[in-house]
Amino acid sequence: MANVSGKFAIVGVGETLVGKRPEASTNSLHLEAIRNCLADAGIKASQVDGLLTNQPLNDAHRSYAVRLAHMAGIDPTYATDLALGGATPVALVQHAVMAINTGMANIVMCVHARKRSTPDPSPGYAIRTGDEHWEQPWGHFAAVATHAFTAQRHMYEYGTRSEDLAEIAVATRKHACLNKNATMRKPMTVSDHQQSRMIVAPLRLLDCSLESDGGGAVLVTSAERARDFPKPPVLILGMGQHHPHFSLMDAPSLTTLGGKKSSETAYRMAGLSPKEMDFAEIYDCFTITTLVTLEDYGFCAKGEGKDFVKGGRIEIGGELPVNTHGGLLSQAHLEGMLHVTEAVKQLRGNEVEAERQVANAELGIVSGHGGNLCMHSTLILGAV
Amino acid sequence: MSETQDKRGRPAAKDRPFLDELEAKPFWANLKEHKFTSQRCSACGKFFGFPPQFLCPHCLASEYEWIPLSGKGKVYSFVTYHRAWHPAYQDKVPYNVSLIETEEGVRMMSNVVGCPPEAVKIGMPVEIVYEDFEDYTLPKFRPAT
């Protein structure tokens, strides 16, 4: 099998304003992201021949990708919805590479938007998560609790404390404070975190990400074709996925998740190792997710995440800046779509506020994480 | 907010089991008689675990038996809900939800009852108690005596 590393590229990014968007609908947020992405790439919708998206959580469709393509004036020769929860945005890029590599499309729009902060004026049918019949009768309803099971187990096995998780929330907030398009821009301290109310112990309010309205999109094509686009292309160097269980009751481990195998596949494809990464955009639906993923990605040994995240190491200017945009915790929760767009902008250079640009950013890793801790996707991206 | 969706368009949470799930009917019927059972594959001899399914998750054989479990196990991990996501839990916070690992190696979601939530620990030995409702019985666990 030929290695696709470096043969495909991201040539456009689009982000919408995020936060509370009561005037917007689920559809309009997707379309705004597509429009902004096309403008960035300097092409028209009619030149795009593939579209990948995720189903709106509150409006299940037979095919949302086909609907969206035609709402945007795209006539796709390849289109489908992917359903990997928060692992979807990273997977959209992976599937775009696969579609272009087989000749089914040449220029693929990957778009993802959410309307979760303000009510959708026209909700449809909600999507099942899949396991609720075996959780809700015992009062288990919330993603925060699913992640609290992991936090509890991580604390038991490795001595991690709530104060260690606070370091992640605080560093992420620092980055959000530098991002004009971030929802939470008031500085946070470890003490603020420790005083925030318990939601599902051991996770507190400030361990939790936001509920947001907004969208993002990226445009993928071959590295060869990428030369015709106005902005510097960002090369797709490594890709991986792993989904080690579906039901939480069936998880082989709560403290090593899909990120381990997923990142190993991506590093192997890219011929790179963790120490070569200049920054990391790590899925942060909860602080514990970031901690476990940093360990699974090999930035430190299992159980050492609690020390790794301290002392400014994961801040801009530190050894491994993490979530340079403010992440799901403090920028916006669009299931990681903005982790992808942020990584592209960091690698192009001069596209984010100067104070949060990672110096000499040449290589970055992006993670996606979804479901009952069960789905994981990885991208390694590089500047040309 | 409606019977089927919450205000953000997510499926509405329920506080009772879905008794019509075809694969799970024997599980709920056995519990009604205070028998805690799990499927064991007649071909490979392994327990299916939960949720129930018709074909073995290990070898895809169709033949299995509902085997009584000892009802003894340990807490694998646990959480304490301080917020109620469902009106039925409004007066119950803080409450425990635990992943219980049975002696047979099967894990399931349940509650540790009979002690305050702060007394629950990982590795704590527990045993089954049956909580009876009008049309179903829920398996829960208490600290082992």
Side-chain angles (χ1 to χ4, degrees):
Chain A
M1 200 85 62
N3 190 340
V4 298
S5 181
K7 293 184 179 153
F8 298 88
I10 295 173
V11 292
V13 296
E15 296 174 350
T16 73
L17 284 177
V18 299
K20 288 193 191 304
R21 299 283 310 272
E23 84 295 354
S25 67
T26 299
N27 290 333
S28 74
L29 290 169
H30 283 87
L31 293 172
E32 272 182 43
I34 292 173
R35 183 183 61 200
N36 296 348
C37 185
L38 290 172
D40 180 74
I43 64 165
K44 296 190 181 71
S46 56
Q47 293 168 269
V48 175
D49 57 5
L51 187 138
L52 292 163
T53 191
N54 190 359
Q55 298 240 330
L57 295 173
N58 59 349
D59 195 6
H61 280 62
R62 190 170 286 164
S63 173
Y64 193 58
V66 173
R67 177 174 184 193
L68 210 49
H70 288 283
M71 287 177 89
I74 293 167
D75 179 25
T77 58
Y78 176 74
T80 198
D81 301 335
L82 296 179
L84 292 168
T88 306
V90 160
L92 297 176
V93 176
Q94 300 174 346
H95 281 251
V97 166
M98 293 190 272
I100 300 163
N101 197 35
T102 60
M104 288 191 68
N106 293 303
I107 302 177
V108 179
M109 178 65 68
C110 303
V111 59
H112 185 96
R114 283 289 179 250
K115 171 88 174 164
R116 298 186 75 179
S117 177
T118 57
D120 196 299
S122 54
Y125 294 96
I127 291 179
R128 271 189 71 180
T129 57
D131 251 10
E132 52 274 67
H133 297 160
W134 294 83
E135 297 180 342
Q136 294 182 351
W138 294 275
H140 179 36
F141 302 105
V144 54
T146 300
H147 290 76
F149 278 110
T150 276
Q152 190 80 262
R153 192 77 207 175
H154 206 280
M155 290 170 171
Y156 171 79
E157 290 179 23
Y158 305 110
T160 304
R161 302 165 310 150
S162 174
E163 294 89 327
D164 304 322
L165 299 178
E167 300 281 348
I168 293 169
V170 168
T172 311
R173 179 63 61 87
K174 273 191 189 166
H175 300 163
C177 289
L178 303 173
N179 182 353
K180 288 190 195 76
N181 191 25
T183 306
M184 304 298 278
R185 301 190 63 198
K186 194 177 143 222
M188 184 203 296
T189 63
V190 169
S191 158
D192 292 335
H193 174 279
Q194 288 297 293
Q195 284 163 35
S196 70
R197 70 178 185 276
M198 206 58 99
I199 303 294
V200 178
L203 296 182
R204 298 173 179 278
L205 178 68
L206 293 180
D207 288 305
C208 301
S209 53
L210 307 167
E211 297 266 25
S212 310
D213 301 338
V218 295
L219 199 64
V220 179
T221 191
S222 65
E224 205 180 319
R225 208 179 280 262
R227 294 191 210 115
D228 302 335
F229 286 79
K231 301 264 177 89
V234 165
L235 297 176
I236 298 159
L237 302 176
M239 317 192 290
Q241 290 187 16
H242 186 215
H243 317 295
H245 63 271
F246 180 73
S247 164
L248 194 56
M249 297 177 281
D250 209 22
S253 167
L254 291 182
T255 51
T256 295
L257 301 172
K260 184 168 192 298
K261 199 180 277 188
S262 177
S263 65
E264 283 167 1
T265 306
Y267 289 132
R268 195 164 52 243
M269 187 184 293
L272 294 167
S273 67
K275 60 179 179 296
E276 291 167 276
M277 297 300 126
D278 298 313
F279 65 91
E281 310 297 356
I282 301 292
Y283 201 86
D284 56 336
C285 49
F286 302 97
T287 50
I288 184 66
T289 316
T290 306
L291 187 92
V292 169
T293 307
L294 286 169
E295 294 172 349
D296 287 346
Y297 274 27
F299 290 112
C300 59
K302 184 54 68 183
E304 288 177 9
K306 59 183 183 297
D307 302 314
F308 185 82
V309 298
K310 286 185 186 141
R313 189 182 274 116
I314 62 170
E315 290 174 25
I316 291 160
E319 194 181 304
L320 183 78
V322 172
N323 296 346
T324 48
H325 52 331
L328 310 180
L329 290 170
S330 285
Q331 188 207 11
H333 191 333
L334 305 179
E335 294 188 313
M337 190 68 224
L338 301 186
H339 284 57
V340 181
T341 55
E342 170 70 7
V344 172
K345 294 196 297 183
Q346 286 284 349
L347 291 165
R348 283 174 171 182
N350 301 317
E351 297 208 1
V352 302
E353 291 81 354
E355 316 82 72
R356 62 184 191 87
Q357 173 67 47
V358 175
N360 307 314
E362 289 179 0
L363 292 168
I365 195 162
V366 187
S367 78
H369 159 104
N372 282 332
L373 309 163
C374 59
M375 300 181 274
H376 198 99
S377 54
T378 309
L379 269 186
I380 296 174
L381 300 174
V384 177
Chain B
M1 190 102 167
S2 72
E3 208 170 293
T4 54
Q5 290 188 23
D6 73 5
K7 63 181 189 317
R8 289 207 188 91
R10 294 172 297 200
K14 295 190 171 54
D15 67 334
R16 47 178 281 124
F18 180 57
L19 300 173
D20 290 332
E21 186 176 352
L22 204 54
E23 288 91 335
K25 281 190 168 184
F27 178 74
W28 296 113
N30 290 339
L31 278 168
K32 203 94 181 75
E33 297 169 24
H34 288 197
K35 282 185 212 149
F36 177 48
T37 56
S38 177
Q39 294 161 286
R40 192 171 68 192
C41 180
S42 307
C44 74
K46 292 180 184 162
F47 281 98
F48 284 21
F50 295 105
Q53 54 186 57
F54 281 145
L55 277 66
C56 173
H58 310 289
C59 74
L60 290 175
S62 302
E63 296 74 34
Y64 59 84
E65 284 180 277
W66 285 94
I67 302 287
L69 304 179
S70 72
K72 293 186 192 307
K74 284 180 177 171
V75 174
Y76 183 75
S77 191
F78 69 96
V79 301
T80 309
Y81 270 72
H82 288 259
R83 200 188 123 176
W85 265 264
H86 189 281
Y89 286 84
Q90 213 70 57
D91 302 328
K92 294 184 183 162
V93 289
Y95 67 90
N96 165 277
V97 181
S98 288
L99 265 172
I100 303 293
E101 184 164 273
T102 70
E103 270 188 343
E104 295 80 4
V106 173
R107 276 188 218 150
M108 74 171 305
M109 201 65 73
S110 189
N111 308 114
V112 175
V113 296
C115 70
E118 58 271 20
V120 179
K121 302 280 179 252
I122 288 179
M124 184 170 125
V126 290
E127 62 191 20
I128 196 161
V129 284
Y130 297 95
E131 197 169 305
D132 292 316
F133 295 82
E134 194 184 331
D135 55 340
Y136 63 92
T137 297
L138 271 189
K140 296 195 174 181
F141 292 83
R142 67 181 175 207
T145 46

